[in-house]
Amino acid sequence: MTSAALVNELRQALPLSQFELLYQIQVNDAAIVRTIIGMADNLGLKVIAEGVETEQQRDFLERNGCHAHQGYLFARPVPIEEFQNSLSRLCVGDYGP
């Protein structure tokens, strides 16, 4: 298979709009994270980092082009009903339930 055919096959296999990056990587793996973020960016994908637990991790991701994060730094996991109730309390005006 030629490299052009491989790239075309990869494009067809990745009809994605975003990519989730599990961020539980050690400091010495920073080059790998930067490469993954760069590759996703080059493919036109948004990157969501999962497992962000510290401000240092969030800051590193922000500096390297990953601007969507989730993890214990922001909130602990909750059952869907609790999440929906929290959203309902935040909604005001015409956007409420």
Side-chain angles (χ1 to χ4, degrees), residues 32-97:
I32 294 170
V33 173
R34 282 193 294 269
T35 300
I36 292 169
I37 293 170
M39 183 173 48
D41 185 53
N42 287 332
L43 292 169
L45 303 175
K46 304 276 188 210
V47 178
I48 301 171
E50 177 182 310
V52 179
E53 297 182 0
T54 68
E55 290 182 14
Q56 291 81 9
Q57 290 173 330
R58 183 201 57 212
D59 293 345
F60 170 82
L61 291 162
E62 285 283 334
R63 281 193 313 272
N64 287 282
C66 179
H67 305 291
H69 323 102
Q70 63 185 45
Y72 280 108
L73 178 63
F74 308 101
R76 64 178 177 77
V78 296
I80 188 67
E81 295 82 14
E82 186 176 334
F83 177 73
Q84 289 171 331
N85 289 338
S86 296
L87 283 181
S88 295
R89 288 191 299 271
L90 293 174
C91 293
V92 294
D94 294 336
Y95 299 104

